[in-house]
Amino acid sequence: MTRDWNKDLRSNFVKSKTIFIHDNFDQDIVSYVLPSFDQLIKEEKDKKEGKIIIDIDANGGYVRYLKGLLARVEKAKKEGIIIETRCFAYAYSCGSILACSGTKGHRYISETAEHLCHLGAAGLYAINDVELERQSARVKAHFDFVRSCYSKYATIPKLNEVIKDDCLFVRGQTIIDWGLADKFY
């Protein structure tokens, strides 16, 4: 039997009804997670209490991959599927947004876990003034997207003020108080 070491060492994968996001939000999400997520939605939507678990210990990554996951989370919730999110250690950046996007009442965190809530990075490189204007609009759209996610899924007080801090680590009871999770487990 031949072993595919790359596949065996992958950190973002799906096993049974659990989606594991244990690394950066990268191409593995598109290649290995999203197709399986779509299949799980099909399998769970007709069950009386369908549920998909997302286990998150992630340092963040590219928002473009987060958007694909969030689209499926929202689709599943519209189908009546419970999205249970779990974080044992850390949910940074994109991981934080994904963790708090689960079904309210089903978002779990360990007592030692932490979130990193921030706007992330959206650089721009322009070679002329028209490109600068277009890139600036794109960067603003990125920051608006992040703010809208935290507004939709959490209740961070004074969001627009505190989210400017690019090292806003949230721990303990504050995670629950701010609506980033519902319960310790």
Side-chain angles (χ1 to χ4, degrees), residues 6-7 9-15 18-34 55-60 65 69 98:
N6 289 331
K7 181 179 181 225
L9 298 175
R10 192 166 291 119
S11 298
N12 298 323
F13 62 96
V14 178
K15 185 175 181 182
T18 303
I19 296 167
F20 294 87
I21 307 296
H22 284 199
D23 201 358
N24 293 323
F25 284 63
D26 60 15
Q27 184 61 39
D28 277 357
I29 288 174
V30 173
S31 301
Y32 305 105
V33 174
L34 296 184
D55 190 286
I56 304 155
D57 279 324
N59 1 340
Y65 302 117
L69 287 166
L98 182 61

Side-chain angles (χ1 to χ4, degrees), residues 149-165:
C149 287
Y150 281 120
S151 293
K152 179 177 183 175
Y153 300 123
T155 56
I156 299 172
K158 299 180 184 177
L159 175 66
N160 289 328
E161 291 174 34
V162 300
I163 201 72
K164 291 177 188 174
D165 179 359

Side-chain angles (χ1 to χ4, degrees), residues 5 14 24 41-43 47 60 70 76 82 86 94 100 109 111-112 130 144 149 151 166 173 184:
W5 287 101
V14 178
N24 293 323
I41 291 171
K42 287 178 188 173
E43 292 170 9
K47 294 182 179 177
L70 287 179
I82 293 168
R86 301 174 178 173
C94 292
C100 67
I109 190 124
E111 291 185 17
T112 57
V130 173
D144 289 346
C149 287
S151 293
D166 218 30
Q173 185 63 41
F184 291 116

Side-chain angles (χ1 to χ4, degrees), residues 74-166:
E74 291 303 323
K75 178 180 180 183
K77 290 193 295 190
K78 285 179 185 167
E79 297 280 352
I81 300 167
I82 293 168
I83 298 295
E84 181 176 300
T85 57
R86 301 174 178 173
C87 177
F88 288 99
Y90 55 96
Y92 293 168
S93 194
C94 292
S96 172
I97 293 171
L98 182 61
C100 67
S101 73
T103 303
K104 294 223 188 271
H106 298 272
R107 302 174 304 165
Y108 297 92
I109 190 124
S110 73
E111 291 185 17
T112 57
E114 67 182 2
H115 275 247
L116 167 60
C117 305
H118 69 156
L119 292 174
L124 55 106
Y125 172 78
I127 58 173
N128 61 53
D129 58 337
V130 173
E131 227 177 69
L132 177 63
E133 191 175 311
R134 290 177 183 156
Q135 292 276 339
S136 294
R138 185 169 183 269
V139 167
K140 182 181 179 327
H142 165 80
F143 295 142
D144 289 346
F145 170 75
V146 172
R147 284 185 193 98
S148 73
C149 287
Y150 281 120
S151 293
K152 179 177 183 175
Y153 300 123
T155 56
I156 299 172
K158 299 180 184 177
L159 175 66
N160 289 328
E161 291 174 34
V162 300
I163 201 72
K164 291 177 188 174
D165 179 359
D166 218 30

